[in-house]
Amino acid sequence: QPVWRAGKKVFAHAHCYDGSWRAVFWVGVGQQGLMTEDTRFSIPPYMGHMGWIALDVSKRHDDAELRALALESYRHYASKKMLAQIHA
């Protein structure tokens, strides 16, 4: 179960649950409701109430969509110094 960090803070992880792979990102509670209208998305247990979303990537996925979700989650947890390195 790989985990990606911004410094010491986890901003994304992947896990296998019930035979399917999910990529999990922070999107904020406000976005969750909109995203769960798409059946590929679900609110993960334990972390969902804090604004995390899980995307089922077991069959197929869009690389650009994964990249956008990861970048947004990273921006939420990264320090100002880390964010400046992205834009440099």
Side-chain angles (χ1 to χ4, degrees):
Q1 296 185 2
V3 174
W4 292 269
R5 297 178 187 272
K8 294 183 179 182
K9 299 175 184 175
V10 173
F11 73 90
H13 72 272
H15 68 273
C16 187
Y17 180 74
D18 289 340
S20 64
W21 279 95
R22 290 182 175 83
V24 183
F25 306 96
W26 183 89
V27 294
V29 175
Q31 282 293 104
Q32 283 177 321
L34 298 171
M35 296 177 90
T36 56
E37 290 179 8
D38 183 336
T39 58
R40 299 174 304 141
F41 291 99
S42 62
I43 298 174
Y46 308 111
M47 299 174 70
H49 69 282
M50 295 183 290
W52 289 76
I53 196 81
L55 172 61
D56 187 340
V57 294
S58 54
K59 294 181 181 150
R60 62 186 167 116
H61 64 276
D62 179 356
D63 287 342
E65 181 178 42
L66 282 174
R67 195 173 304 114
L69 287 166
L71 185 57
E72 188 62 32
S73 187
Y74 178 83
R75 284 183 174 141
H76 177 74
Y77 288 102
S79 67
K80 289 181 183 181
K81 182 178 180 181
M82 295 165 78
L83 292 173
Q85 292 174 346
I86 291 176
H87 301 295

